Amino acid sequence: SAVISQKPSRDICQRGTSLTIQCQVDSQVTMMFWYRQQPGQSLTLIATANQGSEATYESGFVIDKFPISRPNLTFSTLTVSNMSPEDSSIYLCSVAGGNEQFFGPGTRLTVL
Amino acid sequence: AQSVSQHNHHVILSEAASLELGCNYSYGGTVNLFWYVQYPGQHLQLLLKYFSGDPLVKGIKGFEAEFIKSKFSFNLRKPSVQWSDTAEYFCAVLDQTGANNLFFGTGTRLTVIP
């Protein structure tokens, strides 16, 4: 298993600003994932981040809005840029290991 | 791409009642199947998983799920629910295309009344 931490755990932001969410894993992993869980909805994959390569974005998500960094095998960041109230959501980091995925505690973002 | 359907949006049961939550997926190839649980205020936890072998999978806290390939289903069951089972339950499918992407259902909220 993997232990995943995220910072911040929650934040309240103003429209038009950006927030960077950090994800730290206690072991080296190849693949890291960023999900969004909008209020009352399921998890939606934003992008897959592999170390040393550009992140792969799912349909409906673009790099300009959600830039991702993956500087090493234990760390990744997701930035939510130029935020609007529609970006209010829980953002989760996840890692793959042995055909399973392990999830971080999430970052609850509220955009006013 | 995969699609995962959970037919029950919100289920309300009394304690000791039996539970069955439906999950259907669309992919016809080899899949790995999961049920995750999210207790109020907590993060996602793996409840059980199916990779291969016995289609009846037993997980934590008395939960089990049955993989029926012909029906593309992986329903979650528990013979007697407890108040502490109140949570959101998500079915997820990992297809074997190599992308290692998990596809989630929309979730089922379970409320157990004491």
Side-chain angles (χ1 to χ4, degrees), chain B residues 18-38:
Chain B
S18 64
L19 169 72
E20 181 161 1
L21 302 182
C23 173
N24 289 90
Y25 62 94
S26 63
Y27 185 64
T30 302
V31 293
N32 296 334
L33 299 160
F34 306 82
W35 276 96
Y36 283 87
V37 60
Q38 188 172 29

Side-chain angles (χ1 to χ4, degrees), chain A residues 1-6 23 25-27 29 31-33 35 43 92-105, chain B residues 34 36 43-46 49 51 100 102 104:
Chain A
S1 65
V3 177
I4 304 169
S5 60
Q6 286 185 232
C23 176
V25 189
D26 69 341
S27 57
V29 293
M31 301 181 77
M32 296 180 76
F33 306 88
Y35 286 84
L43 283 78
L92 297 112
C93 172
S94 170
V95 302
N99 274 342
E100 288 186 45
Q101 282 193 15
F102 303 93
F103 289 85
Chain B
F34 306 82
Y36 283 87
H43 62 280
L44 277 171
Q45 302 173 38
L46 183 66
K49 61 188 177 184
F51 291 162
N100 224 28
L102 261 183
F104 283 86

Side-chain angles (χ1 to χ4, degrees), chain B residues 64-89:
Chain B
E64 64 178 31
E66 184 175 12
F67 169 53
I68 302 179
K69 188 174 182 179
S70 61
K71 295 184 178 180
F72 298 89
S73 71
F74 190 56
N75 292 355
L76 180 71
R77 299 194 292 250
K78 185 171 183 178
S80 176
V81 295
Q82 300 172 316
W83 175 79
S84 58
D85 293 324
T86 295
E88 190 94 20
Y89 293 82

Side-chain angles (χ1 to χ4, degrees), chain A residues 29-83:
Chain A
V29 293
T30 303
M31 301 181 77
M32 296 180 76
F33 306 88
W34 286 99
Y35 286 84
R36 181 174 72 182
Q37 186 178 16
Q38 292 182 300
Q41 298 186 29
S42 186
L43 283 78
T44 303
L45 182 65
I46 297 172
T48 303
N50 291 337
Q51 194 270 335
S53 63
E54 293 288 328
T56 302
Y57 289 82
E58 297 298 307
S59 176
F61 298 96
V62 295
I63 188 171
D64 290 345
K65 175 67 176 177
F66 297 101
I68 288 171
S69 78
R70 184 77 203 276
N72 58 53
L73 291 173
T74 63
F75 187 78
S76 178
T77 68
L78 169 76
T79 298
V80 187
S81 303
N82 188 24
M83 289 184 284

